[in-house]
Amino acid sequence: MELYETNQLKIYNSLSKSKEIFKPVVEGNVGMYVCGPTVYSNVHLGNVRTFMSFDLVFRYLKQLGYKVRYVRNITDAGHLENDADEGEDRIAKKARLEKIEPMEVVQRYTVDFHETLQKINNLPPSIEPTATGHIVEQIEIIKDILQKGMAYEINGSVYFDVLKYNETEHYGILSGRNIEDSIHNTRELDGQSEKKNPQDFALWKRAEEKHIMRWPSPWGEGFPGWHLECTAMSTKYLGEIFDIHGGGMDLKFPHHECEIAQSKVKNKVNPVNYWMHANMLILNGQKMAKSTGNYILPNEIFTGENNILSKAFSPSATRFFMMQAHYRSVLDFSNDALEAAEKGYIKLMEALNKLDNIEVGKVSSVNIGDWKQRCYEAMNDDFNSSVLIANLFEGVKYINLLIEKKETISAADFKEFQNTLNTFVFDVLGLKNDLEQNASEKLNGLVEMLIKMRKEARDNRDWALSDKIRDELAVLGIQLKDGKEGTTFSIN
RNA sequence: GGCGUUUUGGCCGAGUGGCUAGGCAGAGGUCUGCAAAACCUCGUACAGCGGUUCGAAUCCGCUAGACGCCUCCA
């Protein structure tokens, strides 16, 4: 029996604006798609937060026993800068600036993306498709939408006819807009565009002469519109209707709105059952963004090379900092907040390291079953990592009280306690125990220190003490070897 | 201007119509040769103004601030 059968998971659905009981299309299986990065620069911490939020979702779904297919794309083409820019591809633009091949830019930043997410201990998705690898699929969708009369071709570009779509469907269903408002409010902004209406979005863009990334199509050489790739790749790997679609809050409109429209026309169905949106990471009172320069890179945190932080912070402390907030809340990034989080993280890890010091007894005075239940309930309530962590600190308190023998625990309960802590701290939250990783270095330092103290004893001809140090270390499996150059040691 | 979100104690951050997370910082205490850690206790916060209610920080309205989207964006 899998855990999902006894745990009622609730997910906040952006589409209904309410928490709903999660029920997958196919029992025991979950299809999840998350909009990935555009690989034209290093991922900043704000990007990382979103991917970490969905990493938490992925991890918890797996913990509940679901078989999860997690698809996250790499946008390596087709990202329109803006309409006035004659559709110059964002990646091509950067490539020209740096005088290198577009795919070289893509490669460089894809590697950076993977390295960064690995450092912060995100699990890799099940499938990570690229936009350039799915040009054919995208062209097929465009043909289909054209054939159904919901798009039109002009000068080698194809646009989705939003107004026509809106006659029978609601364009704006996800973001809570209606097209009429939007017409009134964008009229002044747009100049002469080849689009029929400013609201229309590109499915295919004609490539100008200088444009490097281009593919042949029935409408001439060009490249696909940004919104299309997600529709193509999500439905290709997860089916026409799948369970979860995630992304940053800032993608809700127009990106996700457009995805819904494309799928509704092509497949005549609402593609996604649960829309999840992760909230923004705020720096200096505003969201982190590449375009405004208001951002910090993960590596700048890990090395401490930046003007914002007083010191370096480990990936784990950084991850803990983010996990302390709920994924749907705006989170403020600051030195004080990170410092506080780091201390909390260390407190948690220190407690886990002390688990072995607990002596089990016959009966338990702490209610491990209830506590475990509260941990699951926190996560079942729309992945509330914040409340989960509060419960974990309750567990820290238990550990300390048990060591001080102010509480007691049975062997069976202790095993469950230990398993549950490990499950939530390492498997679900995805934290790593940095303190443990440093342990071997510290052990070396410790033995060096004893060698020094033993030398002092020997210099004082305190043979009793020096022999005691050597013998007791030997019992621990640490052998001291006195040589001409001083004392060395080996650990068995 | 439109749409949406939000405003919690010194800081970060959960949450609920009445039993009022958690972390960090702070105060007092226990323990300790000293210290640290740990444990116990404490501050009694929910933008402002109205309303609904036996009762609201939690529901509704208004006001103010902040943020996000409306253009590429995690």
Side-chain angles (χ1 to χ4, degrees), chain A residues 52-63:
Chain A
M52 195 185 288
S53 295
F54 289 104
D55 186 56
L56 176 73
V57 171
F58 182 38
R59 285 167 176 273
Y60 189 60
L61 288 171
K62 294 211 303 184
Q63 172 58 29

Side-chain angles (χ1 to χ4, degrees), chain A residues 11-20 170 172-178 249 252 257 273-277 327-328 382:
Chain A
I11 295 181
Y12 181 87
N13 189 347
S14 302
L15 193 58
S16 65
K17 295 184 173 54
S18 61
K19 281 182 198 168
E20 298 175 5
H170 178 191
I173 189 171
L174 179 65
S175 53
R177 292 158 203 264
N178 60 68
M249 203 74 110
K252 209 192 251 185
E257 206 72 73
N273 286 146
Y274 303 87
W275 280 95
M276 296 182 71
H277 289 97
Y327 77 90
R328 278 191 292 117
D382 195 30

Side-chain angles (χ1 to χ4, degrees), chain A residues 48-323:
Chain A
V48 168
R49 183 188 182 201
T50 295
F51 299 126
M52 195 185 288
S53 295
F54 289 104
D55 186 56
L56 176 73
V57 171
F58 182 38
R59 285 167 176 273
Y60 189 60
L61 288 171
K62 294 211 303 184
Q63 172 58 29
L64 289 182
Y66 285 112
K67 193 171 164 233
V68 187
R69 180 177 294 165
Y70 173 23
V71 181
R72 187 185 60 208
N73 68 297
I74 296 275
T75 297
D76 55 356
H79 229 145
L80 302 181
E81 188 98 48
N82 59 48
D83 292 333
D85 204 21
E86 292 301 320
E88 184 171 31
D89 190 293
R90 190 164 245 224
I91 286 165
K93 184 166 191 175
K94 179 96 183 191
R96 209 163 305 142
L97 284 175
E98 300 183 1
K99 297 249 177 18
I100 49 176
E101 270 299 311
M103 286 315 282
E104 195 177 344
V105 175
V106 164
Q107 178 68 17
R108 182 199 297 172
Y109 293 118
T110 300
V111 168
D112 168 75
F113 174 66
H114 287 147
E115 282 178 356
T116 301
L117 290 199
Q118 196 180 4
K119 272 185 203 163
I120 207 111
N121 206 25
N122 271 23
L123 298 174
S126 327
I127 301 177
E128 194 166 45
T130 59
T132 53
H134 296 75
I135 301 292
V136 173
E137 285 84 349
Q138 296 181 69
I139 289 175
E140 287 307 307
I141 295 176
I142 298 171
K143 279 190 200 162
D144 190 276
I145 294 175
L146 270 171
Q147 197 197 331
K148 287 176 174 143
M150 280 297 169
Y152 54 91
E153 184 199 344
I154 289 182
N155 301 330
S157 293
V158 181
Y159 295 98
F160 189 95
D161 194 334
V162 171
L163 286 193
K164 188 166 181 195
Y165 171 78
N166 199 241
E167 287 169 12
T168 52
E169 301 284 349
H170 178 191
Y171 181 79
I173 189 171
L174 179 65
S175 53
R177 292 158 203 264
N178 60 68
I179 194 83
E180 288 79 16
D181 288 344
S182 147
I183 289 169
H184 288 293
N185 289 303
T186 48
R187 184 171 286 160
E188 293 175 23
L189 296 174
D190 247 356
Q192 327 299 336
S193 162
E194 59 188 15
K195 292 194 284 189
K196 280 196 210 164
N197 302 290
Q199 289 71 33
D200 294 346
F201 57 89
L203 296 172
W204 187 264
K205 272 297 229 180
R206 175 190 67 250
E208 301 300 327
E209 291 277 312
K210 292 174 184 168
H211 202 97
I212 312 171
M213 287 189 126
R214 57 205 298 157
W215 291 266
S217 79
W219 317 284
E221 291 211 327
F223 54 93
W226 172 44
H227 309 305
L228 196 59
E229 62 173 276
C230 287
T231 296
M233 294 185 266
S234 62
T235 55
K236 172 165 181 175
Y237 297 110
L238 300 173
E240 291 181 3
I241 301 176
F242 55 95
D243 301 301
I244 297 172
H245 189 129
M249 203 74 110
D250 49 355
L251 297 187
K252 209 192 251 185
F253 187 91
H255 184 57
H256 293 156
E257 206 72 73
C258 295
E259 278 188 55
I260 292 176
Q262 288 162 351
S263 277
K264 277 220 159 177
V265 172
K266 165 133 195 313
N267 300 324
K268 300 189 172 63
V269 290
N270 222 316
V272 177
N273 286 146
Y274 303 87
W275 280 95
M276 296 182 71
H277 289 97
N279 220 134
M280 300 291 105
L281 186 64
I282 299 290
L283 176 65
N284 298 324
Q286 309 221 276
K287 88 163 181 172
M288 285 195 194
K290 288 163 195 160
S291 53
T292 58
N294 184 237
Y295 65 86
I296 184 165
L297 299 177
N299 263 333
E300 294 172 342
I301 296 169
F302 308 154
T303 60
E305 286 164 16
N306 62 77
N307 301 323
I308 300 157
L309 302 175
S310 59
K311 63 188 263 313
F313 292 91
S314 73
S316 287
T318 308
R319 188 175 177 102
F320 184 80
F321 160 70
M322 299 216 214
M323 288 292 172

